[in-house]
């Protein structure tokens, strides 16, 4: 059975990052490190940039974590190896304006990672910066941002982009191209000198049959008028939806309160009001209600 290499990195939420005097910081320990499967980017960072060898041996150590009183500290735990100086910050989609402002400044400035041992004693401080040339579908779906140790950032970005970044391109497609480095892989040792080059020619089929071309359709004046009205209606719908979302966000943040018209509600619930509606209803509506 093929087993992928397993590395360790750190995963946090936006609320885990604290701000003081305009500077961001995040406290972390070895216990917080999460296991993750190998990717080409992890391999490049660990073995090509950091010049470390992957350690596949399994070791067990005494559990030193006393933060959870229910945990069995006498039971040995597996030692976390092959640590990567990478941290992910998950932000979520339901962010407030304050969260968006915090995230914007965090991406621009980075943060200071404060490493402590299990006793809470500070060991070291390092600066982590945003890896801005990668955006995979998983990152986009989970709203997860990658941060890497500052001294490795430029070298890692150069490897990911193959040493060059296009000056004119579709930005999203370029980020997706680079994100291929972040997908799960199983790296096999290969001697490049023993590989031979094989060029397969394109299969070409001559077209001998008649090909019917689809002619462009031109709308009639009546259809053009209906299309114009439809476009205007859709624009109004977009404007209404934006206003609705804006009001909902303000309600969630308790910036405004929607008034409850109790007198109107009581009138609607009153028996006389319901009788009035029933009398005004058409026979078709009555049949439908039944």
């Amino acid at each position: 059975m093929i087993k992928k290499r397993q590395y360790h990195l750190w995963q946090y939420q936006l609320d885990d990052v604290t701000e003081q005097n305009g500077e961001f910081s995040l406290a972390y320990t070895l216990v917080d490190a999460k296991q993750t499967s190998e990717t080409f980017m992890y391999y490049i960072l660990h073995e090509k940039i950091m010049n470390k060898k992957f350690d596949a041996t399994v070791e067990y150590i005494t559990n030193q974590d006393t933060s959870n009183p229910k945990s069995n500290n006498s039971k040995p735990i597996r030692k976390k190896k092959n640590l990567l100086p990478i941290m992910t910050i998950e932000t979520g989609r339901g962010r407030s304006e304050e969260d968006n402002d915090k995230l914007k400044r965090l991406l621009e400035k980075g943060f200071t990672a404060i490493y402590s041992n299990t006793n809470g004693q500070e060991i070291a401080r390092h600066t982590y910066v945003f890896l801005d040339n990668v955006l995979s579908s998983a990152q986009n779906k989970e709203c997860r941002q990658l941060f890497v140790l500052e001294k490795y950032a430029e070298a890692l970005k150069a490897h990911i982009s193959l040493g060059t970044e296009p000056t004119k391109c579709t930005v999203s497609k370029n980020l997706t191209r680079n994100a291929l480095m972040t997908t799960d892989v199983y790296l096999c040792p290969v001697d490049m000198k023993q590989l031979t080059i094989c060029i397969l020619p394109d299969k070409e089929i001559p077209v001998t049959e008649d090909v019917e071309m689809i002619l462009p359709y031109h709308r009639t004046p009546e259809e053009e008028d209906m299309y114009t009205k439809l476009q205007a209606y859709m624009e109004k719908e977009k404007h209404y939806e934006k206003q609705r979302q804006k009001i909902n966000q303000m309600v969630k943040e308790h910036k405004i309160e929607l008034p409850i018209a109790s007198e109107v509600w009581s009138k609607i619930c009153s028996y006389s009001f319901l009788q009035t509606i029933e009398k005004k209803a058409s026979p078709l509506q009555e049949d439908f209600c039944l």
Side-chain angles (χ1 to χ4, degrees), residues 212-223:
E212 295 182 1
M213 183 181 69
I214 300 177
L215 298 176
Y217 177 78
H218 298 284
R219 290 188 290 266
T220 64
E222 293 78 9
E223 291 173 338

Side-chain angles (χ1 to χ4, degrees), residues 37-183:
S37 296
E38 68 176 333
T39 68
F40 198 48
M41 184 181 73
Y42 297 161
Y43 165 77
I44 290 174
L45 176 59
H46 189 261
E47 301 187 30
K48 299 298 182 181
I49 299 177
M50 299 173 64
N51 295 319
K52 292 187 176 182
K53 290 186 177 182
F54 184 83
D55 188 357
T57 58
V58 178
E59 294 183 42
Y60 289 89
I61 59 175
T62 304
N63 188 1
Q64 300 292 334
D65 183 17
T66 59
S67 59
N68 186 3
K70 296 182 179 180
S71 64
N72 185 4
N73 294 332
S74 62
K75 184 179 179 180
I77 60 173
R78 189 168 179 174
K79 184 178 181 180
K80 296 182 178 180
K81 296 183 176 183
N82 306 303
L83 301 172
L84 295 172
I86 291 178
M87 294 189 181
T88 65
I89 305 296
E90 189 172 335
T91 60
R93 296 189 177 276
R95 298 188 301 268
S96 63
E97 294 182 3
E98 289 79 7
D99 288 338
N100 284 332
D101 178 66
K102 177 181 179 180
L103 177 59
K104 179 178 181 296
R105 291 182 288 112
L106 182 64
L107 296 177
E108 293 174 346
K109 301 172 62 176
F111 61 89
T112 300
I114 306 173
Y115 179 72
S116 303
N117 58 19
T118 54
N119 297 324
Q121 181 182 1
E122 182 179 326
I123 303 300
R125 291 182 175 229
H126 304 285
T127 301
Y128 278 71
V129 295
F130 175 52
L131 192 63
D132 59 0
N133 69 336
V134 172
L135 181 61
S136 66
S137 58
Q139 287 178 255
N140 186 43
K141 181 180 179 181
E142 301 171 6
C143 294
R144 181 164 38 86
Q145 316 301 333
L146 283 175
F147 290 81
V148 65
L149 192 62
E150 185 178 31
K151 68 177 182 177
Y152 298 135
E154 292 303 320
L156 183 58
K157 289 167 63 174
H159 276 84
I160 290 174
S161 61
L162 302 179
T164 181
E165 287 284 355
T167 55
K168 293 182 179 180
C169 68
T170 303
V171 176
S172 59
K173 291 184 177 180
N174 183 53
L175 293 175
T176 304
R177 180 205 68 164
N178 292 344
L180 292 174
M181 294 288 189
T182 67
T183 57

Side-chain angles (χ1 to χ4, degrees), residues 226-273:
M226 292 179 61
Y227 179 75
T228 303
K229 292 179 179 179
L230 177 62
Q231 291 294 101
Y233 171 78
M234 292 176 66
E235 287 296 324
K236 289 183 179 179
E237 283 289 303
K238 290 181 181 179
H239 177 72
Y240 168 79
E241 183 63 21
K242 290 181 179 179
Q243 294 298 320
R244 187 188 67 82
Q245 292 179 358
K246 183 177 180 180
I247 292 174
N248 284 345
Q249 185 63 35
M250 295 176 69
V251 172
K252 289 180 181 179
E253 298 173 358
H254 304 289
K255 292 183 178 180
I256 61 172
E257 293 184 2
L258 295 179
I260 300 176
S262 56
E263 66 280 358
V264 175
W265 178 250
S266 60
K267 183 178 179 181
I268 292 177
C269 295
S270 65
Y271 177 74
S272 60
F273 185 74

Side-chain angles (χ1 to χ4, degrees), residues 18-33:
T18 59
E19 183 179 8
Q20 186 175 7
N21 299 326
E23 298 295 330
F24 294 103
S25 62
L26 191 152
Y28 73 107
T29 64
L30 180 60
V31 177
D32 298 335

